[in-house]
Amino acid sequence: MKLFRAARYFRFLTRVRPRILGGAYSGPTRVNVSTIPGGAVLHLDDFLFHTVLELAEQFAEDPEGVGDLLTEIDGLSDPRSDSNEEHYRDRLVEEFLDQVGGTRLRLYGVQVQRVAELLLMSNGAGTVVALPSQREAGAA
């Protein structure tokens, strides 16, 4: 009975737990991709690490300003508030994330191709084959 239960648990872990397919390390930010049933997980640990460092630096420079902004955002997070306050809160959060660089992950060159390959592999698309590029005029 215990062996049967252990086998079921092992099957559950292999299906549900993300399985890391690989990573794209050639750009400024490392990105890992894991597969889960029906999709993929992007691991953005490195990106968020730098975002938190930027947030800490801004807090060290202006603790009252950052603290007041976070307190204001928290005060506007009341679910019973009207939609105007909700839109104002969303705008404050977007501006704050832009300040700390936490809204856009930049991928360059080979890293874009590698992340795309990993995402396609996680979806069960199989082996990714590079498509030939268009020929230039006169090159036959």
Side-chain angles (χ1 to χ4, degrees):
M1 184 66 168
K2 288 182 181 182
L3 183 61
F4 179 70
R5 197 176 303 154
R8 277 193 349 197
Y9 181 68
F10 179 74
R11 273 186 291 165
F12 169 77
L13 285 179
T14 57
R15 288 186 189 148
V16 176
R17 181 179 280 172
R19 183 175 59 89
I20 293 184
L21 293 174
Y25 310 116
S26 62
T29 304
R30 292 188 316 255
V31 178
N32 286 315
V33 178
S34 296
T35 180
I36 58 172
V41 176
L42 290 173
H43 299 269
L44 304 175
D45 307 355
D46 190 50
F47 175 68
L48 292 174
F49 178 82
H50 293 293
T51 303
V52 170
L53 288 179
E54 179 65 29
L55 174 62
E57 184 179 319
Q58 286 190 13
F59 184 75
E61 291 174 2
D62 184 17
E64 287 185 19
V66 173
D68 291 343
L69 178 63
L70 291 173
T71 303
E72 184 177 3
I73 289 170
D74 182 54
L76 294 170
S77 296
D78 183 15
R80 294 168 287 180
S81 63
D82 65 2
S83 64
N84 289 334
E85 287 181 356
E86 204 173 304
H87 291 298
Y88 178 64
R89 180 207 58 203
D90 293 347
R91 191 165 45 95
L92 283 177
V93 170
E94 287 174 11
E95 290 172 3
F96 184 64
L97 286 173
D98 282 340
Q99 287 177 2
V100 295
T103 59
R104 290 175 182 83
L105 174 64
R106 289 171 171 75
L107 303 174
Y108 298 100
V110 177
Q111 193 176 23
V112 174
Q113 181 179 357
R114 179 69 178 144
V115 170
E117 289 172 356
L118 291 168
L119 288 172
L120 286 171
M121 284 175 24
S122 72
N123 194 28
T127 307
V128 179
V129 179
L131 298 174
S133 58
Q134 185 175 358
R135 294 184 192 179
E136 293 186 24

